[in-house]
Amino acid sequence: MARKTARPGRTLVVFFLGLAISYGLVALGGAWKPALGLDLQGGTRITLTATGNPTPENLKEAANIIDQRVNGSGVSEAEVTTQGNQYIVVEIPGESRRDLVETVKRQAQLRFRLVACSTRDASCGGAPATDPGAGVTTQPTPSASPSAKASQKPKSSGKNRAPFLLDGKKKAGSSASPSASPSDSASSTPSATPAPDGGDLVGDPLKWKDNPDAASVAAYNKFQCPTDGSAPIVEDDSSKPLITCDDQGIKYLLSAAMIEGTDLKSASAQIPSNQVNWVVSLAFNGTGTDEFTKISKALYGTQDQFAVVLDGQVLSAPTMNGLITNGQAQIEGNFTESTAQSLATSLKYGALPIAFDKNGTSVETVGPSLAGDQLSAGITAGIAGLILVMLYCLVYYRGLGLVVIASLLVAGATTYSMVLLLSKGAGFTLSLPGIAGLIVAVGITADSFIVFFERIRDEMRDGKSMRVAVEAGWVRARNTCLAADSISLLAAVVLYIFAAGVVKGFAFALGLSTVIDLAIFFWFTHPMVSLLARRPFFNKGHKLSGLDAENLGIDRITVGGRA
C-alpha cells in the first residue's frame, strides 16, 4: 500500500512559517522593491581611457578584472565592454555610488614598504616616530590569530596615482622627475655626485631604512606633498625607493617594496569579533608570509614603521607591537561597509595590467534603455498570460484548479521574497532577461501540477479512492518532476558558469525559480492535495471537483478504495 503523508497540516504550517520569516528578514532590510537592472532603471556609465598603446590582450584582461570587481557574483548585471584600442566602458545599474566608481578606476597596486623618513619624525633614518599613526599591530593573543593592523583614513582610495620614485644607486637629479607644479613633485636635486652612503643598500630594505642614501634624503627634503591629497603621477617601480604622501599630506621616504600585491592570497572585508569597525583582512602566500615575518622581526620592539601603499599613496604607516609570523594582516581605519568591500574587491581581483588617463575618465548617468510604456506592456502581457493559465486550469481541473492557482500565488510570493533578500544581500538586480527567466519557470511549475494531477486521475481510474490515489500518484509524479527540474537546474548552472553579462542574470533567475518550484511542489502542493483528499467534496467525486466519474471516464468513484 502506498505510504500516506504524515501530518500534511504540519508541513503546511512549517512552510508558511518559513515564508513569514523570509518576509520578516525583508522587513528588517527595509527594501520592498527589487533592485532593477540598467535596462529598466538606468544607472552609471564609466568610460576609462587607457594611457599609451595597450595591446588588445591587455585591454581585454583589464576589462575582465573590472568585470570581476563590479560583477563578481554574476547577478548585479553590470556590463563591461571594450571600445576600440583604448576605451573600457562600464555600465552599472542603480544610483551612482562613489565606492563603485573608485573600484572600477583603482589600479590596485598594493605594496608594503619600510619607512625611512616621514614628517612625523624629527629626523631621518630610523629615528623614533613621535606619532606612529592610529593603526598599530596588536600583541597576539592565544584566543585570536595575530594580525598586523594598518590604519586608513576616510579618503584612502587609489586613483591611478603613482608615486615619486628614487633610485638610490643613481644621481638624485636623474631620479627625481619634476612635474609642472611645484606642489606635485620635488624640484631637481642640485647634487650631481653618486650617493655617498646607502646607495648600495637599496636592495636590502631592512638595512637601507636605517641608512638611506644622501641623494634620497635630499630629494625627500625638497619634495612637497600635493595639497589635494593625491600623489605625484610618475612611474611606480617596486625596486626603487619611493617618496610619496598619504591623503593627510604627511610625507614619506620609503624603501623598495618588500611585499607585492601578487603575494596576496586573499582579501576580505569584515568586522572582527569583539569589534565594531570594518577592516580589510589580508592573507599572504608563502613568499609574502616570509617577507612579512622579516618585517615583523625587524620592527618588533621598536617605533619604526612600515607603510601600506596602494597605487602610490600611503594608506597607513603602523608600528609593529607584536611578532607576526602567520601572514595574516588587517587594514583598519575609518571604513564603512561599502569602502571596505570596495578595497577588498580591488585587491582580491588583482591589479590592472594597464593605467588609465585621469583626465580621460568620464562618469555619466544614463537612463533606462526600455521606455516605461514598453515595460508596462510587458508586465501586462505577463499578467494576462498567467490569468489565462489559471482560467484554463479552473475549466479543465475544476476544484483541483484552485490548488494550481494557490500554488502559483504562493510561488510568486516566495519568489518575490527571495528576489528582495538577494537584492539586499547579494546585489542581485532584476533586468529584462532575469524577468524572462522567472516567467519561463512558471511553465515549469505548471508542468509539475499537471503531472501530479494526471497521475492521481490515472490511479483513480484503476479503482483507487482519492486518498490512496494521491499517495500512489505522488510517488510516480515526484520522480518525474525531480528528473525534469534537475535538467532545468543543470541547464541554468551550466549557462551561469559559461555565460557572461545579462545572460548570467537569466540563468540565475531560472535556477532560483526551479528550486522554488521544487519547494512549492513538495511542501505546499502535495500536502494541500492530501488535505483536500479527506474532504467529501473531492473523495466522493462531486461534479465541480474535477474528479467525478464522468470527468474521469469511469462508471463510478471508489470511496473505500484499494491499494
Side-chain angles (χ1 to χ4, degrees), residues 118 151 191 199 203 206 256 301 308 325 405 462-463 468:
S118 80
S151 171
S191 173
L206 292 172
V308 182
T325 59
I405 294 174
D462 288 341
V468 177

Side-chain angles (χ1 to χ4, degrees), residues 136-147:
V136 295
T137 56
T138 56
Q139 183 68 31
T141 59
S143 60
S145 299
S147 62

Side-chain angles (χ1 to χ4, degrees), residues 375-418:
L375 177 60
S376 299
I379 294 176
T380 302
I383 293 176
L386 187 61
I387 291 175
L388 289 175
V389 171
M390 291 180 176
L391 289 176
Y392 174 81
C393 290
L394 280 176
V395 172
Y396 187 78
Y397 288 111
R398 301 180 186 176
L400 283 179
L402 296 175
V403 179
V404 176
I405 294 174
S407 297
L408 289 174
L409 292 177
V410 172
T414 304
T415 301
Y416 192 67
S417 69
M418 291 298 102

Side-chain angles (χ1 to χ4, degrees), residues 122-192:
S123 59
C124 193
T130 58
D131 181 7
V136 295
T137 56
T138 56
Q139 183 68 31
T141 59
S143 60
S145 299
S147 62
K149 298 182 178 180
S151 171
Q152 185 189 17
K153 304 297 189 239
K155 192 184 174 185
S156 57
S157 58
K159 298 181 179 178
N160 267 348
R161 294 187 295 267
F164 182 87
L165 294 174
L166 290 170
D167 186 345
K169 296 182 180 180
K170 295 182 179 181
K171 300 176 183 179
S174 63
S175 301
S177 301
S179 65
S181 171
S183 64
D184 289 339
S185 70
S187 58
S188 299
T189 306
S191 173

